[in-house]
Amino acid sequence: MAKAVQDNPTMEIRDFFYAAEARIDRWRTVNRVAKALATSQRPAAGPGEDPRALLAELQPLEELCGYPGPGLMAQVHERLQTGDWTGFARLVQRISSALLSNSYRDDQQVWRVEENGEARVPDILPPSIGRGQSHRPYFEVLLVSPAERAAWPEIRETFRRLRRVEDEFVYEPVVVGSLEDAALAVVFNPNLQAVVISDGFGYASQYTVPVLREILTRQVELAESARGGDLGTVLAQMVRRWRPELDVYLTTDRDVARLAGSAEAAPIRRIFYGVEEPMEIHLAILDGVKDRYETPYFDNLKHYAQRPIGTFHALPVARGKSIFKSNWIRDMGEFYGANLFLAESSATTGGLDSLLEPTGNIKVAQDKAARALGGDRSFFVTNGTSTSNKIVHQALLKPGDIVLIDRDCHKSHHYGLVLAGAQPLYIDAFPLTQYSMYGSLAIKPIKKALLQLKAEGKLDRAKLLVLTNCTFDGHVANVKRTMLECLAIKPDLVFLWDEAWFGFARFSPFLRRRTGMAGAAAIRELMRDPEYRKRYEAFKSNAGKLDPKDPKLLDMELLPDPDKVRVRVYETDSVHKSMSSLRQGSIIVVADQEFHTVEPAFKEAFFTHTSTSPNLQIIASLDVARRQMELEGYELVGRAMQLALEIRRQINTHPLISKYFRIATPAEMIPAEYRKSGFTDWDAPGWTMTDTMGALNDDEFYLDPTRITLLCGAAGYDGTQFKALLASEHDIQINKTSRNSVLVQININNTRSDLAHLIKALADMARGIEKRLAEGGPDEQAAFKARVKSLVEDVPDLPDFQRFHDAFRDDPKSATQEGHMREAYYMAYDAANIEHVKLNSKEIDERLAKGPELVSAKFVIPYPPGFPIMVPGQVVTKEIITFMRKLDVKEIHGYNAGKGLELLKPDTLAKHRTKAPGRSAPPVHGGA
Ligand SMILES: Cc1ncc(COP(=O)(O)O)c(C=O)c1O
C-alpha cells in the first residue's frame, strides 16, 4: 500500500482497497526474499529482491499499525544491518505468518523479541490473551501526540503499563505526530477502535500523501482552514465522518469546560484536561469498546441458557428434553447442539424482555442498533424486511392517503398498501430493457407526480414516498438530493427507504452517504446551516413564484424551505442479507422528528405484524450482528468491496472468459443522464479517487460494486439455465437471474478463494463452449449464434404501469394515476366477480382491440424480473400481454397458465363504478 498511497496522486479506488491486502502480500515477498538470503547467505541482486527497498516501502504503513510495532521492526532492521540473514529470515517468517493468520491478536509468543539468540517476551504484557486466561479481544488505539518522536516509546510504554489482569480487552498503542498521519491511520488501520488526541500536534505528515486530500477532501478543507490552530477537534470531526463508530478522546490544555459544551466537541466521547490521568483514559478506552462489544440481549440469553430452569409453558423444545430424550428425533439435537434448545423459551421474564413491549435488554439492544445505523431509534423485526415494510406502511398510512411508489418495489410494499388501504401512485423506474430488468426511480418523475398532485390540490394527501435503495441489481440513489427536491414541493413528506440489501453500506465511508439515515442526518445539518439559508433565499426569489405546472421546475434543482422542512425518514434493512444475523432478522431504523405523533400507530402496526412468539435466536443474532459491524464492519465491508472490484476486473479483462461472460459496467447499468460525473467504470483509464468521490457525492445514481450483474447471454445461457448449471456443475450458488444475466453478490463472508472458484468455473465453461463450437461444425455454430441473438437482442420491451381502471379512480380525468387498489383486491375474493381468460387466446386480442378492457384481479409477479407486472385493478395493456407471452420463466406468482389470467368481470366493474360516488370520501387529515 505504502507506495501506492504515498506518491500516487491519481490513485484509483481499487488501489485504495488493495492497499490493505498489499501489506500482507508485501510481507510475504519479504519473507520469500529473506528465506533465499538465509539459504545463500548473501543479498540477491534481482529486481524487487532488495530487502531494504521492500522494507522501506512497508515502513509508512507499519508506522500506523500496532503489530509488529516499532520494537520488532527495529530488530528486523538491525538484523538486516548486521547481515544476520538467518535471524532476519526467522523474524520475518514469524511476523508475516502472524499477520496472515491474525495470531498476533492472541498469541504473545509472536511478540517476543530475540536477543543474542535468546527469546524474550517483553516485560510489559504484550497484546495477548496469555495462556490459561479467557479470550480477551485485541484492538489498537491511535495516540495523536504533539511530543517529539524520541518521546513516543515512552508514551507507548505509559499506556502498556496501565494494562491490568482484570481488563476485558487488550490493546496496543500506535503513536503518530500529525493530523495527516492520524487520518492515514484511521483510513488504513482497521484494528483501531479508539483515537486519543492530545492537542498541539502538527498538520503535515512526514510522508507525501496527496491521496489523503483526495479521500478526505471535505475534511482536509476543514483542516486547512484550521492550520496553525489547534487541530484536535478538526481531527475528531474527520474521524467521525470516516469511521463514526470509533471512540474519540481529547486531552487538551484549552478551557475544557467551554470546549465540552461546544458544537465542535460533539464527536468527542470524553475530554480530559492535560494528561493528568492516564489511567482514566485507559479505563475510558476500555469502557468505550465494551459499550460496542456488549450485546445485552445475547449476553442475557447465554446466561439464561445456563440456569437450571423448569419450564411449564408451551414450548416442548425448550431445554431440549423432548429432543434429547426422544427415540426418534435425537439427531436434531445432535445436529444443532444443546445450546440452541437451552436458549429457547417463550418467557419474557428473567431478563429476556419482550419484543412486543421492550423495556429491558431488547430496548437497550435496539438503542445500540439505532446508534450503529445512524438513526434516532430502531425496532427489531423477526420476520424479514417483508414485515418491516408492512409495519411502516400500516403505521404511517390511513385509507385515502396517496403513496408515491416505484412499481418495481418488493411485493411487501404492494401488499402493505392493500392492508393500509392507501392509494398507490405508481411511478415507473427507468428500464434496462437489454437485461430485462428495471433500474431505479429517477428524481424527475417523482417531482412530476408531486407537482401534478399539487396542481390538482391533492398534495395534502400525498403522505409517503417509497423507494428501494439499493435495488436488487445495485442501483444506489442520491438519497439526499431526492429527499431535498421532494421536500421542496412537500416539506413534510415521509420517506421509506427500503434498504433490504444495503444495511452494510453504513459501514463503508464511500457508500454510507447514500443511505437513508445518512441522508436524514445530512438534511438536518443542512437545514441548520446559515449558508444554506442564503442559498434558499436566492432560490426562492427566482423559482418560488413558478406555477407547479411550469416544466422548468422539473429541470432545476429545487431547494426546500429550512423553516418548513420536517425530516421524516424510515429505513428498513434485512440484516440477514448483508450482515451476520440469522435468516429473517430485519430492522426498522427511524429518524422522524414527528415520531411522537405516530408512535401509538406505530405500536399498533408492530402488534399487528409481530408474532407473539418471536424467535429469540433471531433477536440475539440481530444484537450480535450489530456488535460485529460496530467493531469490524469497516474492515469487512472494505474487503468485500475490494473483492468485488477485483472480480469485475478479472472477468472483464480475461481474454477467454470475456468472450462469453461479462460483468455489466456502471455505464451499462446506469443511463448517462444519471451519471453527470462521467463515471463509466472503476477501471476506466484515468479515473481517480477524486472522480469517484465526485460521482458518489453528486451523481443521481451510483452502482453498488458488490452487486455484480454477470451477463451470460453471449454464452448461450438464459439466467435460469445458467444459475442451474453453476449450482449443479460447479457448486456455486448465486442470487437472482434475469433473461440473460445472473446476479453475483459479494458479501462480508466472501474470500479470495471464492473469487478463484467463480473465475475457474467461468474459464472451464468458456473452454467447454469453445470446444463445442470447434467440434460441432457449422450447424452447432449457427444454432449457438441464433440462441445468443435471441437472448441478447430479441428482448421484450418492459411494460409500464399505465393506469388503474376508472372504477378504482376518484377522478378518472386526473393527471395522477393513484387508485383504490384495495377495492379491486377484495373484489376478487368473490368468485362471481372474476373470470379467467387464457393468455394466448383470441379473446384477449379481441378485447385489447375492441374492449371491454381487461382488468387484473391479482398481483401477477413473474420471477424474474420479480416485480408485479399487474396489480389488482390495473388495466392490462397490449404491452403487458406481449411481455407475458414472450416470458420464458416458469415461476409466475398470481398466474395459473392452465386457467388463464384472472380478471375482474366488466359488469362487476360497471356496477362498482356506479357505486363509486358512495365511496367514503378521503379522510380528513390532521397533524401527521
Ligand atoms: C427490496 C427488497 N425489500 C424487501 C425484501 C424482503 O426482505 P426479507 O427477505 O428480509 O423479508 C426483499 C427481498 O428480496 C427485497 O428485495
Side-chain angles (χ1 to χ4, degrees):
M1 102 101 195
K3 210 138 188 63
V5 173
Q6 259 187 82
D7 25 82
N8 182 357
T10 56
M11 183 167 92
E12 296 170 21
I13 191 167
R14 72 180 141 99
D15 298 327
F16 172 83
F17 283 118
Y18 185 61
E21 293 285 331
R23 180 182 175 219
I24 308 287
D25 287 350
R26 187 66 45 87
W27 271 106
R28 277 212 197 108
T29 310
V30 180
N31 189 26
R32 190 171 43 73
V33 168
K35 264 195 191 141
L37 268 177
T39 314
S40 65
Q41 290 297 312
R42 62 187 161 80
E49 306 266 289
D50 176 4
R52 278 185 190 81
L54 287 168
L55 284 176
E57 282 182 15
L58 270 169
Q59 190 62 26
L61 186 56
E62 293 312 322
E63 296 236 343
L64 311 175
C65 296
Y67 184 84
L72 277 174
M73 280 308 278
Q75 189 141 43
V76 168
H77 284 289
E78 182 196 306
R79 291 192 178 171
L80 199 58
Q81 221 65 42
T82 57
D84 173 7
W85 309 132
T86 311
F88 176 67
R90 225 179 22 234
L91 191 52
V92 167
Q93 156 79 32
R94 169 148 54 91
I95 292 172
S96 103
S97 62
L99 284 171
L100 190 64
S101 65
N102 262 328
S103 62
Y104 64 91
R105 296 173 154 274
D106 32 36
D107 178 2
Q108 61 182 341
Q109 288 306 314
V110 303
W111 290 80
R112 73 187 183 275
V113 184
E114 288 177 26
E115 278 163 6
N116 307 323
E118 298 234 337
R120 181 177 67 79
V121 175
D123 294 342
I124 311 287
L125 194 76
S128 148
I129 55 167
R131 285 192 197 285
Q133 294 172 16
S134 61
H135 177 70
R136 278 197 284 172
Y138 165 85
F139 60 89
E140 293 173 9
V141 172
L142 186 68
L143 306 173
V144 190
S145 166
E148 289 296 314
R149 197 170 241 276
W152 292 2
E154 180 50 31
I155 296 174
R156 266 191 299 275
E157 290 311 305
T158 305
F159 276 87
R160 287 172 140 214
R161 272 195 291 269
L162 296 170
R163 289 174 181 157
R164 303 161 314 152
V165 177
E166 326 58 317
D167 291 345
E168 274 185 70
F169 312 99
V170 60
Y171 67 83
E172 179 69 9
V174 175
V175 187
V176 294
S178 72
L179 181 127
E180 286 188 334
D181 281 338
L184 266 183
V186 168
V187 170
F188 288 106
N189 180 349
N191 281 341
L192 293 183
Q193 296 295 352
V195 181
V196 181
I197 302 169
S198 303
D199 241 348
F201 55 88
Y203 178 86
S205 167
Q206 56 186 314
Y207 303 104
T208 45
V209 279
V211 68
L212 244 196
R213 291 184 186 84
E214 303 195 25
I215 301 170
L216 306 172
T217 327
R218 161 122 176 69
Q219 289 88 322
V220 172
E221 271 168 27
L222 268 175
E224 294 276 5
S225 65
R227 245 181 210 273
D230 276 334
L231 295 170
T233 49
V234 174
L235 177 59
Q237 284 181 58
M238 290 169 72
V239 176
R240 168 56 58 96
R241 281 178 195 273
W242 199 256
R243 289 173 69 178
E245 59 282 355
L246 294 191
D247 296 320
V248 179
Y249 303 94
L250 180 69
T251 68
T252 179
D253 295 333
R254 283 202 265 169
D255 174 358
V256 277
R258 190 204 57 75
L259 182 63
S262 70
E264 54 177 334
I268 299 169
R269 195 163 195 268
R270 238 183 107 176
I271 299 175
F272 297 92
Y273 183 64
V275 247
E276 57 190 3
E277 229 6 298
M279 184 47 106
E280 286 302 316
I281 300 177
H282 172 73
L283 294 176
I285 290 169
L286 295 179
D287 190 56
V289 173
K290 186 172 173 203
D291 190 24
R292 278 175 279 152
Y293 186 79
E294 271 179 350
T295 34
Y297 189 77
F298 176 58
D299 297 346
N300 203 63
L301 192 63
K302 283 193 291 185
H303 178 66
Y304 172 89
Q306 303 311 323
R307 285 166 43 202
I309 289 168
T311 59
F312 294 97
H313 44 76
L315 186 66
V317 300
R319 320 305 294 174
K321 286 184 205 156
S322 74
I323 292 163
F324 291 106
K325 285 192 184 152
S326 163
N327 292 323
W328 294 94
I329 64 167
R330 219 174 304 155
D331 59 331
M332 180 183 178
E334 284 157 8
F335 182 72
Y336 287 112
N339 279 344
L340 176 65
F341 305 102
L342 291 172
E344 275 295 338
S345 175
S346 61
T348 53
T349 51
L352 286 180
D353 207 2
S354 157
L355 183 64
L356 289 151
E357 203 71 74
T359 52
N361 294 315
I362 295 182
K363 170 96 179 58
V364 181
Q366 290 183 156
D367 289 346
K368 285 180 181 237
R371 171 188 70 197
L373 290 163
D376 298 340
R377 66 195 81 230
S378 88
F379 300 89
F380 288 172
V381 176
T382 57
N383 193 19
T385 296
S386 304
T387 297
S388 297
N389 288 338
K390 284 178 222 157
I391 291 172
V392 177
H393 282 287
Q394 188 171 331
L396 298 176
L397 298 170
K398 296 191 272 259
D401 283 342
I402 295 173
V403 176
L404 295 99
I405 174 167
D406 175 3
R407 200 254 317 228
D408 194 14
C409 273
H410 185 256
K411 62 183 178 183
S412 52
H413 297 287
H414 307 276
Y415 284 107
L417 291 177
V418 168
L419 294 176
Q423 296 192 57
L425 197 173
Y426 283 114
I427 310 174
D428 288 302
F430 61 81
L432 291 169
T433 311
Q434 67 276 32
Y435 310 131
S436 286
M437 62 173 80
Y438 272 95
S440 195
L441 206 51
I443 297 175
K444 203 163 163 178
I446 303 173
K447 276 163 68 178
K448 188 172 168 194
L450 280 170
L451 288 166
Q452 281 173 335
L453 287 167
K454 186 170 180 183
E456 292 190 14
K458 293 192 285 196
L459 199 55
D460 61 323
R461 287 171 50 207
K463 190 67 179 290
L464 177 70
L465 172 62
V466 180
L467 288 155
T468 312
N469 186 53
C470 65
T471 64
F472 223 134
D473 304 291
H475 297 96
V476 183
N478 190 326
V479 171
K480 180 175 155 194
R481 210 186 112 202
T482 306
M483 293 203 285
L484 283 174
E485 293 224 38
C486 291
L487 291 171
I489 303 169
K490 183 150 202 297
D492 61 350
L493 190 66
V494 191
F495 299 88
L496 168 54
W497 292 96
D498 179 339
E499 302 197 350
W501 300 104
F502 207 46
F504 74 96
R506 172 81 195 165
F507 303 91
S508 158
F510 297 97
L511 298 177
R512 182 184 308 122
R513 70 199 70 202
R514 285 186 174 243
T515 61
M517 283 305 119
I523 293 176
R524 281 178 177 169
E525 196 180 319
L526 192 65
M527 294 302 112
R528 288 194 297 264
D529 182 352
E531 285 304 311
Y532 173 78
R533 201 166 270 277
K534 281 188 214 149
R535 264 179 67 207
Y536 172 71
E537 290 305 330
F539 164 81
K540 196 168 76 169
S541 56
N542 287 331
K545 315 271 173 324
L546 291 178
D547 184 277
K549 290 201 185 99
D550 195 323
K552 274 199 228 118
L553 288 171
L554 292 179
D555 292 316
M556 64 169 62
E557 190 175 334
L558 307 182
L559 299 181
D561 182 344
D563 292 328
K564 294 207 176 120
V565 161
R566 316 302 296 153
V567 177
R568 309 198 57 188
V569 185
Y570 292 72
E571 176 189 305
T572 51
D573 298 317
S574 291
V575 183
H576 66 99
K577 288 194 204 294
S578 71
M579 297 173 256
S580 296
S581 121
L582 294 178
R583 210 61 175 154
Q584 299 193 3
S586 172
I587 190 163
I588 303 169
V589 199
V590 182
D592 179 359
Q593 66 188 97
E594 298 293 325
F595 190 74
H596 58 282
T597 64
V598 291
E599 195 162 5
F602 192 93
K603 241 181 175 173
E604 290 296 338
F606 199 83
F607 289 160
T608 307
H609 294 280
T610 304
S611 165
T612 40
S613 313
N615 186 309
L616 308 194
Q617 319 317 323
I618 298 178
I619 302 173
S621 73
L622 284 166
D623 201 11
V624 175
R626 187 275 310 152
R627 178 210 288 176
Q628 175 177 45
M629 296 314 277
E630 278 199 308
L631 289 163
E632 58 182 353
Y634 178 76
E635 180 178 11
L636 296 177
V637 173
R639 196 184 303 149
M641 289 181 63
Q642 189 264 329
L643 212 55
L645 293 175
E646 200 173 333
I647 289 188
R648 286 172 176 275
R649 188 174 64 254
Q650 295 279 353
I651 291 178
N652 283 359
T653 57
H654 193 289
L656 175 63
I657 296 178
S658 63
K659 270 170 84 174
Y660 302 101
F661 304 99
R662 247 176 21 79
I663 290 175
T665 61
E668 289 164 314
M669 295 294 287
I670 302 173
E673 62 184 300
Y674 307 124
R675 291 179 285 107
K676 290 274 159 60
S677 67
F679 175 48
T680 56
D681 198 353
W682 295 276
D683 264 345
W687 186 258
T688 66
M689 277 291 288
T690 311
D691 300 328
T692 290
M693 298 317 260
L696 271 164
N697 284 333
D698 302 326
D699 280 358
E700 187 163 344
F701 291 105
Y702 195 73
L703 194 71
D704 172 0
T706 68
R707 304 191 69 80
I708 295 176
T709 296
L710 176 58
L711 305 172
C712 53
Y717 300 121
D718 66 49
T720 316
Q721 240 181 345
F722 186 54
K723 177 178 176 172
L725 199 65
L726 281 173
S728 63
E729 307 277 314
H730 301 276
D731 289 328
I732 290 175
Q733 286 181 12
I734 48 97
N735 204 308
K736 67 135 203 180
T737 62
S738 86
R739 181 176 168 81
N740 48 25
S741 73
V742 297
L743 182 77
V744 176
Q745 191 184 333
I746 303 298
N747 254 318
I748 59 169
N749 60 316
N750 287 112
T751 61
R752 277 169 131 183
S753 305
D754 297 332
L755 175 151
H757 188 175
L758 179 65
I759 289 178
K760 169 87 170 63
L762 294 178
D764 287 349
M765 281 192 227
R767 269 190 291 275
I769 298 169
E770 294 261 290
K771 185 163 180 285
R772 209 174 69 224
L773 293 178
E775 293 172 1
D779 286 354
E780 178 72 37
Q781 288 158 13
F784 180 78
K785 207 166 153 196
R787 171 86 178 135
V788 170
K789 180 170 179 301
S790 122
L791 287 168
V792 178
E793 291 173 29
D794 306 339
V795 282
D797 281 336
L798 293 167
D800 282 345
F801 169 73
Q802 299 281 355
R803 64 193 179 88
F804 282 107
H805 187 266
D806 287 354
F808 304 110
R809 311 245 298 125
D810 286 328
D811 173 10
K813 293 200 184 66
S814 163
T816 62
Q817 291 302 324
E818 73 278 6
H820 289 272
M821 184 163 70
R822 177 156 70 171
E823 290 180 4
Y825 179 87
Y826 283 113
M827 199 182 266
Y829 273 32
D830 184 347
N833 292 336
I834 54 171
E835 58 180 348
H836 288 93
V837 185
K838 289 264 175 72
L839 182 62
N840 289 308
S841 65
K842 256 200 183 145
E843 186 186 343
I844 290 237
D845 296 309
E846 280 165 16
R847 281 180 63 175
L848 282 173
K850 300 195 196 113
E853 285 176 319
L854 305 161
V855 178
S856 180
K858 281 256 152 96
F859 286 106
V860 176
I861 310 177
Y863 287 84
F867 66 88
I869 57 171
M870 296 176 213
V871 303
Q874 180 183 348
V875 173
V876 182
T877 57
K878 191 160 171 248
E879 291 73 26
I880 294 174
I881 295 296
T882 311
F883 181 77
M884 272 205 82
R885 284 176 176 167
K886 282 194 185 170
L887 264 185
D888 44 10
V889 298
K890 292 196 184 61
E891 195 177 337
I892 305 180
H893 296 181
Y895 170 67
N896 179 330
K899 286 183 167 175
L901 291 176
E902 194 171 315
L903 302 172
L904 294 171
K905 282 183 181 165
D907 56 341
T908 308
L909 291 168
K911 273 187 252 150
H912 189 71
R913 187 154 19 157
T914 55
K915 266 194 353 203
R919 175 182 291 150
S920 60
V924 179
H925 288 261

